Amino acid sequence: MNVFYATDIIKDKITLRDQEAQHCARVLRKGRGAEVFVIDGKGSRYRCEIDEIKRQTVELSVLSYQRFDPNPGMPHIAFGIMKNMTRLEILLEKITEIGVSEISPIICTRSERTALNMERLEKILISAIKQSLNFYLPVFHRPRTLEDFISAQSGSKRFIASFGPGVPELSSIQGRHENPVMLIGPEGDFTENELSLAIDADFKRVNLGSTRLRAETAAIVACTLLRY
Amino acid sequence: MNVFYATDIIKDKITLRDQEAQHCARVLRKGRGAEVFVIDGKGSRYRCEIDEIKRQTVELSVLSYQRFDPNPGMPHIAFGIMKNMTRLEILLEKITEIGVSEISPIICTRSERTALNMERLEKILISAIKQSLNFYLPVFHRPRTLEDFISAQSGSKRFIASFGPGVPELSSIQGRHENPVMLIGPEGDFTENELSLAIDADFKRVNLGSTRLRAETAAIVACTLLRY
């Protein structure tokens, strides 16, 4: 059965809007009485019936409802914002499919971009959770500086991707699956200053193997190693 | 120093052609006497000096030469050809960065495409090995049927991505790093027939976790788990 995303849920009435309404009514040509699933990105899935197709919205009634627990130990992935939006979108889609609790785009010294179209990018996350049958939409933070990001962290498992002699491989770290925060540099990597800042804030240096990965590949590989 | 790819290597003379020559002469505007690195995708790296910039080629002399061993245990990734070329290109780029010995696009029952522009796609592989500082270009097989692929396999570690009760997670398999062959289904997955065919040929079913991954994401995740 088709799955849609909605946040406009009041008692047993749900309204699909924007691309979700379009997709339901125009692309899939669902009509009154058809049954669909709706997820709210917060752990609930609703089995619904279509009441009415309006010009801009689709109105639904809830038939039944199921609650799902979040997957335990999901990582928080933070990454230096890259210039190439296609690569940033690949990063977001893939880590959301693989499983992530929070996503933090970071404005680094070597980031050539500091602003993001959050609304457009959130659609990628919504599409990815529907695709992957996740019931939780990751918390998607607005771009912030490395200092602001670091000062907002409270968890104890903190990693920063970094090459260097004696730096252990992420895949060898015990306890890496316990709600870790993983920080990945932008194209051109962190500056020495930024690396020191993170290390001073108890971020542990880990490497992602012997090959040099693009920034978005590093994030996907790190997310995989933190999930499995 | 900049790295270029060439196969046209005769004694101590190397010729850069096509996009490699363009990139060297037109984009980076290298001139006679400049030093560059050249890799051949077969484990050699040459330090060279530019002899001459011609209209279509760049002629080089080898100054010195270094040989690199292949990374041991690299996986062979086989995947059902998907319709969306962008996703197929992402798959190729990412697994090549992460590290793979052979790549096999497979014509499955549910593949909506059976032919690939191999020359165009090989450029993605070349770009990815240069990016990731790999010295070996993966063997990139032409599309073939599942039957043909299976009958060509001789290694003992064979896996097929598959959901189902009792199917172990790939990340829990001991010995998974020993030159494994990993088979990933197309969009819509393998048919029952195809799955049986693979199982009969000693492919062991493994799953890639609880979330439903897109075909290209599954290949990237599997490649990561086989490399780390």
Side-chain angles (χ1 to χ4, degrees):
Chain A
M1 191 147 53
N2 295 102
V3 179
F4 299 94
Y5 172 81
T7 51
D8 195 344
I9 301 169
I10 297 170
K11 288 191 176 164
D12 63 344
K13 296 293 179 187
I14 296 181
T15 302
L16 301 184
R17 299 184 184 280
D18 304 327
Q19 65 175 7
E20 300 296 308
Q22 289 291 321
H23 192 65
C24 180
R26 310 270 175 268
V27 181
L28 300 172
R29 299 184 163 276
K30 298 277 178 193
R32 180 190 284 223
E35 285 193 13
V36 297
F37 278 126
V38 172
I39 59 171
D40 65 355
K42 292 168 186 160
S44 294
R45 185 176 66 183
Y46 302 86
R47 193 165 62 84
C48 302
E49 188 180 72
I50 297 180
D51 285 342
E52 201 180 344
I53 308 282
K54 294 188 177 171
R55 185 189 287 266
Q56 299 285 348
T57 63
V58 175
E59 307 295 334
L60 311 168
S61 283
V62 175
L63 301 174
S64 64
Y65 152 86
Q66 210 176 345
R67 178 92 200 140
F68 296 85
D69 288 331
N71 288 318
M74 302 258 274
H76 175 173
I77 303 284
F79 61 93
I81 299 173
M82 56 270 292
K83 190 175 174 187
N84 183 315
M85 279 305 288
T86 304
R87 296 189 176 280
L88 194 145
E89 290 176 13
I90 291 171
L91 185 165
L92 293 179
E93 178 179 285
K94 296 306 166 220
I95 65 174
T96 304
E97 276 183 65
I98 293 164
V100 67
S101 62
E102 294 182 49
I103 301 174
S104 290
I106 307 294
I107 302 167
C108 296
T109 308
R110 295 193 182 128
S111 291
E112 293 189 48
R113 179 193 291 274
T114 58
L116 295 176
N117 181 338
M118 299 298 284
E119 203 175 323
R120 178 185 148 83
L121 295 175
E122 190 167 69
K123 288 182 182 158
I124 293 174
L125 306 189
I126 290 168
S127 172
I129 62 165
K130 291 198 297 187
Q131 154 67 30
S132 58
L133 308 179
N134 278 326
F135 296 102
Y136 287 82
L137 192 66
V139 176
F140 187 29
H141 296 278
R142 298 199 160 273
R144 49 188 159 162
T145 63
L146 188 63
E147 290 81 352
D148 287 350
F149 163 75
I150 284 177
S151 66
Q153 301 316 307
S154 58
S156 63
K157 297 280 174 196
R158 304 172 182 195
F159 302 111
I160 181 168
S162 174
F163 276 111
V167 174
E169 270 205 19
L170 175 57
S171 58
S172 72
I173 306 280
Q174 296 295 319
R176 69 180 183 276
H177 303 100
E178 298 156 12
N179 294 106
V181 180
M182 178 82 220
L183 187 50
I184 308 278
E187 290 150 340
D189 214 346
F190 295 111
T191 63
E192 281 299 317
N193 250 348
E194 289 173 326
L195 185 60
S196 301
L197 199 71
I199 291 170
D200 289 348
D202 288 333
F203 278 75
K204 186 179 168 62
R205 293 172 70 185
V206 293
N207 84 56
L208 300 173
S210 57
T211 62
R212 185 176 68 175
L213 302 175
R214 284 182 195 276
E216 81 279 8
T217 315
I220 297 165
V221 164
C223 189
T224 302
L225 297 177
L226 293 169
R227 285 283 288 142
Y228 293 89
Chain B
M1 191 147 53
N2 295 103
V3 179
F4 299 94
Y5 172 81
T7 52
D8 195 344
I9 301 168
I10 297 170
K11 290 191 177 161
D12 63 345
K13 297 293 179 187
I14 296 181
T15 303
L16 301 184
R17 298 184 184 279
D18 304 328
Q19 66 175 7
E20 299 296 308
Q22 289 291 320
H23 192 65
C24 180
R26 310 273 173 266
V27 181
L28 300 173
R29 298 183 164 277
K30 298 277 180 193
R32 178 191 286 220
E35 286 194 15
V36 297
F37 279 125
V38 172
I39 59 171
D40 65 355
K42 293 170 186 159
S44 294
R45 185 176 65 182
Y46 302 85
R47 192 166 63 83
C48 302
E49 188 180 71
I50 297 180
D51 285 342
E52 200 179 346
I53 308 281
K54 294 189 178 170
R55 186 189 287 267
Q56 301 284 347
T57 63
V58 175
E59 308 295 333
L60 311 169
S61 283
V62 175
L63 301 175
S64 65
Y65 150 87
Q66 211 178 345
R67 179 92 200 140
F68 296 86
D69 288 330
N71 289 315
M74 302 259 275
H76 175 174
I77 303 284
F79 60 93
I81 299 172
M82 56 269 292
K83 191 177 174 187
N84 183 315
M85 278 305 288
T86 303
R87 296 188 176 281
L88 193 144
E89 290 175 12
I90 292 171
L91 185 165
L92 293 179
E93 178 180 286
K94 295 308 165 219
I95 65 173
T96 304
E97 274 183 66
I98 294 164
V100 67
S101 63
E102 294 183 47
I103 301 174
S104 290
I106 307 293
I107 301 166
C108 295
T109 308
R110 294 192 182 129
S111 291
E112 293 189 46
R113 178 193 292 273
T114 58
L116 295 176
N117 181 339
M118 299 298 285
E119 203 175 323
R120 178 184 148 82
L121 295 176
E122 191 167 68
K123 288 183 182 156
I124 293 174
L125 306 189
I126 291 168
S127 173
I129 63 164
K130 290 198 296 187
Q131 155 66 32
S132 58
L133 308 179
N134 278 325
F135 296 101
Y136 287 82
L137 192 67
V139 177
F140 187 30
H141 296 278
R142 300 200 157 272
R144 49 189 160 162
T145 63
L146 188 61
E147 290 81 351
D148 286 349
F149 163 75
I150 284 178
S151 67
Q153 301 315 307
S154 58
S156 63
K157 298 280 173 194
R158 304 172 181 197
F159 302 110
I160 181 168
S162 174
F163 276 109
V167 175
E169 269 204 20
L170 175 56
S171 58
S172 72
I173 306 280
Q174 296 294 320
R176 68 180 183 278
H177 302 102
E178 299 156 12
N179 294 104
V181 180
M182 178 81 219
L183 187 49
I184 308 278
E187 290 150 340
D189 214 347
F190 296 111
T191 62
E192 281 298 317
N193 250 348
E194 289 173 327
L195 185 60
S196 301
L197 199 70
I199 291 171
D200 289 348
D202 288 333
F203 278 76
K204 185 177 169 62
R205 292 172 70 185
V206 293
N207 83 56
L208 300 173
S210 56
T211 63
R212 185 177 67 175
L213 302 174
R214 284 182 195 275
E216 80 279 9
T217 315
I220 296 165
V221 165
C223 189
T224 301
L225 297 176
L226 293 169
R227 284 283 289 142
Y228 292 90

